[in-house]
């Protein structure tokens, strides 16, 4: 398992409330759209990150993590596993506190690099499933 219950709790409750959601667009049929809505309901500020830089759920989007002009606490990754490692490296570069790889997003080397850089990380889990279990 990549993400102990303690790490999941840390990210969801103590790492901060600004979540960059990489891969989030205005496409309501995509999982990222629904997960971002759940995060908002639980008090998280979502920041859409997508090449189209669309506004989603009332939040301005950015083309890349580096384009976000304010601190990001958690980077939630909705891209395929082949691209996820690069996103994790960008999360480290922007000073995020944690990285969350969604269900079926798996990159063991990126997990190791991110943890070695001092960030909390969860892989192959969904915050929209985990957060309601907290209380």
């Amino acid at each position: 398992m990549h993400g102990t219950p303690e790490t999941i709790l840390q990210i969801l409750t103590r790492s901060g409330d600004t979540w960059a959601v990489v891969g989030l667009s205005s496409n309501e049929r995509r999982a990222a759209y629904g997960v971002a809505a759940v995060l908002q309901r639980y008090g998280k500020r979502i920041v859409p990150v997508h090449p189209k830089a669309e506004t989603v759920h009332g939040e301005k989007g950015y083309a890349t993590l580096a384009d976000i002009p304010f601190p990001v606490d958690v980077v939630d990754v909705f891209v395929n596993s082949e691209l996820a490692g690069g996103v994790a490296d960008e999360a480290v570069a922007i000073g995020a506190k944690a990285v969350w790889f969604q269900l079926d997003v798996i990159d063991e080397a990126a997990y190791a690099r991110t943890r070695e850089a001092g960030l909390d990380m969860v892989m192959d889990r969904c915050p929209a499933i985990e957060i309601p279990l907290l209380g």
Side-chain angles (χ1 to χ4, degrees):
M1 173 159 67
H2 292 88
T4 65
E6 294 79 20
T7 302
I8 291 169
L9 182 66
Q10 169 71 26
I11 294 172
L12 292 175
T13 64
R14 295 186 295 276
S15 289
D17 291 332
T18 301
W19 285 55
V21 184
V22 179
L24 175 58
S25 71
S26 61
N27 184 343
E28 297 178 18
R29 293 184 303 275
R30 303 291 299 193
Y33 190 89
V35 170
V38 170
L39 290 169
Q40 278 188 319
R41 280 199 303 275
Y42 280 88
K44 307 300 182 190
R45 176 186 184 189
I46 58 109
V47 182
V49 179
H50 189 278
K52 294 180 183 176
E54 299 173 299
T55 296
V56 183
H57 298 306
E59 293 286 348
K60 178 182 178 351
Y62 297 89
T64 69
L65 287 172
D67 291 339
I68 301 171
F70 48 83
V72 168
D73 300 311
V74 180
V75 176
D76 189 7
V77 182
F78 276 95
V79 299
N80 66 47
S81 297
E82 291 75 34
L83 301 175
V87 176
D89 295 338
E90 290 174 38
V92 171
I94 67 163
K97 298 175 189 166
V99 175
W100 192 299
F101 280 8
Q102 284 294 157
L103 293 172
D104 299 322
V105 178
I106 299 168
D107 182 330
E108 299 287 345
Y111 182 87
R113 282 194 315 272
T114 304
R115 295 292 296 134
E116 287 169 14
L119 280 67
D120 286 325
M121 184 161 180
V122 172
M123 185 165 67
D124 193 25
R125 303 292 288 261
C126 180
I129 293 171
E130 302 294 337
I131 202 166
L133 302 176
L134 299 178

